[in-house]
Amino acid sequence: MDMINLTIDNRPVSVERGTSVLQAASQIGINIPSLCYMKLEDLNIENKPGGCRVCVVEVEGRRNLAPACCTDVSEGMVVKTHSMRAIHARRTVVELILSDHPTDCLKCAKAGNCDLQSLAQYLGIREIHYEGEQSTFREDTSPAIIRELDKCIRCRRCEMMCNEVQSVGALSAINRGFNAVVSPAFEMNLDHSVCTYCGQCVAVCPTGALTEVDNTGAVIRALSNPDKTVIVQTAPAVRAALGEEFGNEPGTLVTGKLAAALRRLGFNYVFDTDFAADLTILEEGTELLNRLTAYLGGDKEVKLPMLTSCCPAWVKFFEHQFPELKDIPSSARSPQQMFGSIAKSYFADKIGVNRKDLVVVSIMPCVAKKYECSREEFSVNGNPDVDFALTTRELAHLINLANIDFKSLPDEDFDQPLGESTGAGVIFGTTGGVIEAAIRTAYEVFTGKKLERLDFTELRGMEGLRRATIDFDGLPIHIGIAHGLGNARKLLEDIQQGKSQFHAIEIMSCPGGCIGGGGQPYHHGDAEILKKRQMAIYREDAGKPIRKSHENPYITKLYEEFLGSPMSEKAHHLLHTEYFDRSKSER
Amino acid sequence: MPKIKLSQRTIEIVKEICSTFENNEGELINVLHEAQHKLGYLPAEVQELIANELNMSVAKVYGVVTFYSFFNMIPQGEFPISVCMGTACYVRGAEQILHEIKRQLNIEVGQSTPDGKFSLNCLRCVGACGLAPVVMVGEKVYGRVAPQQIRKIIAEYQEGCVRPERHEM
């Protein structure tokens, strides 16, 4: 390995050629403040436009200051990261950024979580010496994401996520100079663009320029209305991340406290999306087996590979970009929507409440879920199956607002009948989890044999594209897994060209799957957090007494009492959906 | 922005330009340059078509079109007038020149006269700083322009000039 020796702040350091000064410093524990720079280790995600100039350092023998994020180390280099000259420049840079930034921090959605705010605090900015015109842009509201571009600092992290990681291409830097900003084509609104609402732009935005639509007010109104029965479902990935908002270490499981907090917030029934995840496996798993059986029986028309359909951003992605493949994904609705549909039919009947008086709230790690529940096909006579989707962050805010001391809450259970779940439902929260859950059920149904081992480690991990072959008692089943829509695109292009050898493919839009969702506590560029959440999910699964969806007794009961069998006409009506060609509908 | 429908001929022209550059994303600027040369301007529909042909996002195409002041999204007048607002021209009175043109044509920057004869834009530096302030009409450069000369320059184009050849969309 080609090593370079240099000195940073009087300390000798030896790093690989091609390392940036910023990373070399970080290797010996020296933190150089930065703003536009972001790197998610192991996920191959890096943003270093070198645009903000906050990370400038002094390099001996160099006339001007060097941006540490995009200056490579060189032999014998002598770097001073915190010389008075560097500090002075850094403060000037931040003052200049602030001179064109709204000062409404008191009511900004990002207050307390804003990288620009933290930086201004750290640098002790008390006065802005530059006064002048401020750039103003029109606010853009969509079903899931709000853009307040007056707060955009042109770091272009969102653009990088949208284009390089997700390959969606909704956002680009447009205009130049003072009018430069990140926007969809022709400055159209996000809801007219190819945006999937994956929310990865929101997850990395350092300021309040990109935030989720806030539904906490609507939920508070529902909870304070005595005429409404308000029930809640909570997605698997939420329990592996919510604790972070209350000072728990990343990877702390807070399932019991989550249920307790929701009960104290006043929800009449506290249920679990994991229940609906188990239900999804019964429907989607059966669909996969039907397609496989038809294929093995010589049916050449059958659509394989089958793609999962739990992720609303992924659904919108293929509707825009691969509409000709819209028959390939499973027709099964997502767990959020299956839950809503069952809650407003089966459960509403059970407790004798009209669906109009039943409010279904979901807690999701996701921004796109807000959009999903607004899709027309998921409502009956204008009444949506899921009324409001809150992100993990919004729930944390509600818990604080209600003065609930989260950390001292007792562990409580979910209510029945829609709160019982298996380990298979839990792992829906991570990349690889949905397909592993499906395999656990499909294997036993297909072969009629009991699985020897439940942990399919070959399906697990963090690589963006993974493949594995599972032996179905002599029949090899080829599985593909992609997380991040850019990776999904590669698998879809293979299918388009007839090169795909897979029987089933799992796709999740966000890096890491739902644990890395756009609605999760901000990771501020620390990818280790995602891995810890993933480990927590598998821990929760391992600790569950039942770990296969088809063994969930309440699922069995639901089919006996109400649905009949998987893929029955009633199940089809309530639990399946269709997809639309959106390539032409909007620009 | 009103939607227009591209004629079959326009679609063919744009596709042909793209294929000349092997539908290579890296040739975007050349493609846009050529398209504007042939069509006069780059409406949204043309940008969408180009994005499609080069297999890139239309947001990126729009980003490039809006970055370079050379590219236009609205039809230009028969004689597009550009006032250089680069540093040298600016300090030598480009602002007064611009004001005078706006006054005489009764249009704002980015607009065209109702008869479609003139359009007005600003640009940054044509590389003739020694001649500052500089005004361009079509491809002709006027140097050391004074506000009093504007009337004469415009009059040159008022009648009897040949219309530059351009494909109608």
Side-chain angles (χ1 to χ4, degrees), chain A residues 178-193:
Chain A
F178 196 63
N179 298 319
V181 77
V182 176
S183 161
F186 316 120
E187 284 155 80
M188 69 171 97
N189 288 347
L190 217 46
D191 64 355
H192 285 194
S193 75

Side-chain angles (χ1 to χ4, degrees), chain A residues 133-152:
Chain A
E133 200 185 335
Q134 296 213 341
S135 49
T136 51
F137 301 93
R138 145 186 88 81
E139 192 177 311
D140 173 18
T141 304
S142 69
I145 294 171
I146 300 177
R147 296 163 62 233
E148 279 183 76
L149 297 174
D150 293 358
K151 297 176 182 169
C152 173

